[in-house]
Amino acid sequence: MGVRLSKDKLTSYFFTIISCFFFALAINLFIKPNHIVGGGVTGVALVINRYIPWGIGLIAYLLNIPIMIMSFRIKGVSYTIKCLIVTTLLNFLIDALAFLPAMTNNPLIGAGYGGVFFGISIGLNYRYNVSSGGTELLGQLIITKFKHITIGKILIIIDGCIVLIGSLILNNPENVLLALMMIFVGGKVSDLVVNGFDYVRMCYIITAHEDEVASELMRQSNRGITKLNGVGMYSKKDYGVLMTAVSKQQFTRVKESVLRVDRNAFVIIVNTSEVIGKGFK
């Protein structure tokens, strides 16, 4: 068990370094050359860098100091030290790779590729449970005091203000659209990094012929099926509710099997990012 834990930690450290590397590349290859101000502490650092000729990484590191002090008081020593190590590595790489030439001078392409690189970095952070500080950590700290607000809303407010203020300071209204595009692309890519391409669909099938439908499904998809008992609140009739998880390759065949047995079946499909168990992970 000790060897396994050590291996897991080494894997986490390795991908943390990769995450910081992709973030630094996004800044130096696409974001800074095209003067795009996204959210986060690095967005503020990019604006300050236009007027103070310090490295973006150094500025971002200094901006993170008050957040780290708050983290120390709220989250404790061990969590803050872990964040501080990642933040130090990230901002060091941003300045160390500042010599790299721009990959494009087209802001639209820069926002797209910047979003891809940011998405890889953010996805790896989520997947291996690390934080690089900045507004993400600030949002986690704020939510401990204002529990009625979700972390998503907090980050939207903080990053939205940074994007708007940065656009006004730089007199670049197009930056708002570019930042939104970058955030959207980054979100999609981070979801792929965390969940992969092989998403699963959860099927809920409400039918008066549950035994026949279940038999046909098990014959066609070779997946486990769970029967739930349901009552139609309008008709007051008892119905069987069949629940099963299938891969995207099996979904069409499952749908056809259900309708072949019961044309009046009510089928609910839910996209599920992850299923753990026999036949899956």
Side-chain angles (χ1 to χ4, degrees):
M1 184 67 181
V3 175
R4 178 181 176 83
L5 182 61
S6 176
K7 183 179 179 181
D8 289 343
K9 281 188 175 181
L10 286 173
T11 302
S12 177
Y13 295 153
F14 173 75
F15 281 106
T16 297
I17 295 172
I18 297 299
S19 166
C20 294
F21 186 70
F22 269 95
F23 196 100
L25 288 178
I27 294 292
N28 289 301
L29 298 182
F30 306 108
I31 307 305
K32 181 184 176 182
N34 292 286
H35 310 294
I36 302 171
V37 178
V41 168
T42 52
V44 179
L46 282 162
V47 175
I48 296 175
N49 176 256
R50 295 288 299 273
Y51 303 98
I52 300 177
W54 294 352
I56 293 173
L58 175 60
I59 297 171
Y61 191 81
L62 295 175
L63 292 173
N64 265 297
I65 291 176
I67 301 175
M68 291 298 167
I69 294 173
M70 291 174 58
S71 174
F72 174 76
R73 297 178 62 182
I74 297 173
K75 291 282 192 177
V77 178
S78 59
Y79 183 85
T80 304
I81 290 176
K82 185 178 179 181
C83 291
L84 184 61
I85 292 171
V86 177
T87 301
T88 302
L89 174 63
L90 172 64
N91 292 301
F92 169 77
L93 285 175
I94 289 175
D95 286 348
L97 299 178
F99 69 91
L100 294 174
M103 293 294 291
T104 178
N105 291 316
N106 185 318
L108 191 63
I109 296 175
Y113 278 111
V116 171
F117 279 59
F118 274 146
I120 294 172
S121 175
I122 294 168
L124 289 174
N125 281 346
Y126 275 113
R127 186 158 188 165
Y128 293 97
N129 194 28
V130 297
S131 173
S132 58
T135 54
E136 177 193 344
L137 178 57
L138 181 60
Q140 293 178 23
L141 299 177
I142 292 174
I143 203 172
T144 61
K145 300 295 183 181
F146 302 94
K147 299 184 184 299
H148 61 285
I149 306 177
T150 65
I151 184 69
K153 289 180 180 179
I154 291 173
L155 291 178
I156 287 173
I157 293 170
I158 296 173
D159 290 341
C161 289
I162 291 172
V163 170
L164 288 174
I165 294 171
S167 300
L168 290 172
I169 292 175
L170 298 179
N171 193 25
N172 182 14
E174 294 178 355
N175 179 75
V176 176
L177 181 60
L178 294 172
L180 288 174
M181 175 183 169
M182 186 171 65
I183 292 169
F184 176 80
V185 173
K188 292 296 183 181
V189 173
S190 66
D191 284 345
L192 289 176
V193 173
V194 174
N195 302 319
F197 292 92
D198 193 20
Y199 62 86
V200 179
R201 288 184 170 176
M202 184 68 71
C203 303
Y204 295 92
I205 304 157
I206 303 172
T207 174
H209 307 280
E210 60 268 22
D211 291 335
E212 296 91 329
V213 172
S215 297
E216 181 67 13
L217 287 177
M218 287 187 287
R219 187 179 69 83
Q220 290 288 340
S221 66
N222 194 29
R223 291 292 186 190
I225 299 171
T226 300
K227 177 183 175 182
L228 309 175
N229 293 320
V231 178
M233 296 307 294
Y234 179 76
S235 64
K236 304 299 180 183
K237 292 182 179 179
D238 292 333
Y239 290 97
V241 181
L242 303 177
M243 181 182 70
T244 184
V246 296
S247 66
K248 60 183 179 181
Q249 292 86 358
Q250 296 172 315
F251 167 68
T252 302
R253 191 162 64 247
V254 166
K255 184 170 63 174
E256 291 173 351
S257 298
V258 171
L259 297 178
R260 187 162 51 244
V261 176
D262 183 6
R263 298 294 301 179
N264 296 316
F266 191 78
V267 183
I268 302 171
I269 310 298
V270 181
N271 283 337
T272 305
S273 61
E274 187 173 26
V275 175
I276 300 174
K278 186 177 180 180
F280 293 94
K281 291 184 180 179

